Amino acid sequence: MVLQAEEGQLTTSSPRILVATAVPVERDAVARAFPEPAAELSRPGTVLHRLPDGDPDLLAAGVGPALAAASTAAALTAAALDGAPYALVVSAGIGGGFLPDAPVGSLVVADEITAADLGAETADGFLPVTDLGFGTVTHHPPAGLVAAAATATGARPGTVLTGSTVTGTAERAALLRARHPRALAEAMEGFGVAEAAAAHGVPVLELRAVSNPVGPRDRAAWRIGEALGALTDAFGKLAPVLRSWTPHDSHG
């Protein structure tokens, strides 16, 4: 059930949190973890689903790092202009897991959010964009929040990779693990969300429920329903952590 929110409900005295998923089915899986229905609120460039009582705002930001960054930035900008900026952004959803460390149905919380394919291919191999003298390829969520999220949900901490193309071969999966030995999961939005958050000076967290192994593309092996259920369960356990989190915790 979705209600209509009044614009006057934007102001709140507690730190506000934005949860950004790729698609509405992931957003709705997060919403099911909370007892009250969300209210739909249109803002310039985006549509939020607002949960009551200080719980997070939810955003289906779109698929891929570019659209996720644009939508998240729009939501962050609108909140700042309304005088009630967000204190934390959570990138959440389902994703691929690197076996054997992140099997289907498990949870991963990012202690590093890394762009896997932002750079240049050369005769000597791949160069990340930082080696070219530009930008960044990795964002680090607050260590204390990562630890609290892992304890509350049972998620395994590690690197979550962001790519514009989903891995579909064993060779590509092996290559990614060779480049990123701590990689546990792969998705398409976390780095874009983190870039938008960083531009606003807001810390970020990423939580993924594993729906399929990273490797050969085999839709028969995907367990999307199971992963969405795990995402709902995770946010039910994560909610008290988010409610008690403060911006000061971003330094821990």
Side-chain angles (χ1 to χ4, degrees):
M1 180 180 181
V2 176
L3 308 177
Q4 293 295 318
E6 299 295 331
E7 299 220 359
Q9 293 177 335
L10 278 166
T11 302
T12 178
S13 58
S14 59
R16 298 178 60 221
I17 295 173
L18 176 68
V19 176
T21 68
V23 294
V25 69
E26 294 169 314
R27 177 200 64 207
D28 295 344
V30 174
R32 284 193 292 272
F34 299 89
E36 299 298 325
E40 188 175 285
L41 177 66
S42 294
R43 305 302 297 138
T46 192
V47 176
L48 299 172
H49 282 201
R50 172 151 297 159
L51 292 164
D53 301 324
D55 282 324
D57 288 351
L58 310 179
L59 171 67
V63 174
L67 183 53
S71 299
T72 302
L76 289 166
T77 299
L81 291 174
D82 286 329
Y86 292 106
L88 175 69
V89 180
V90 183
S91 177
I94 63 176
F98 287 95
L99 297 177
D101 299 315
V104 172
S106 66
L107 297 167
V108 174
V109 60
D111 57 17
E112 293 184 355
I113 300 170
T114 295
D117 54 6
L118 182 60
E121 292 287 352
T122 76
D124 297 320
F126 178 78
L127 291 178
V129 72
T130 47
D131 285 9
L132 304 176
F134 304 104
T136 184
V137 293
T138 295
H139 292 276
H140 294 91
L145 183 57
V146 171
T151 298
T153 65
R156 182 167 181 170
T159 299
V160 177
L161 301 179
T162 299
S164 296
T165 302
V166 173
T167 298
T169 67
E171 292 77 12
R172 175 66 177 172
L175 181 63
L176 288 175
R177 280 303 290 269
R179 288 180 187 164
H180 308 282
R182 297 185 66 254
L184 293 180
E186 170 192 80
M188 299 179 71
E189 293 77 34
F191 184 79
V193 172
E195 286 278 86
H200 281 260
V202 177
V204 68
L205 184 72
E206 183 170 10
L207 181 70
R208 292 285 164 182
V210 177
S211 58
N212 57 278
V214 176
R217 188 171 173 82
D218 177 13
R219 297 201 62 164
W222 294 4
R223 298 292 181 265
I224 292 176
E226 181 180 343
L228 291 171
L231 189 64
T232 300
D233 183 63
F235 268 87
K237 297 172 180 175
L238 186 62
V241 174
L242 297 178
R243 292 185 186 116
S244 64
W245 185 85
T246 70
H248 300 291
D249 297 334
S250 64
H251 304 293

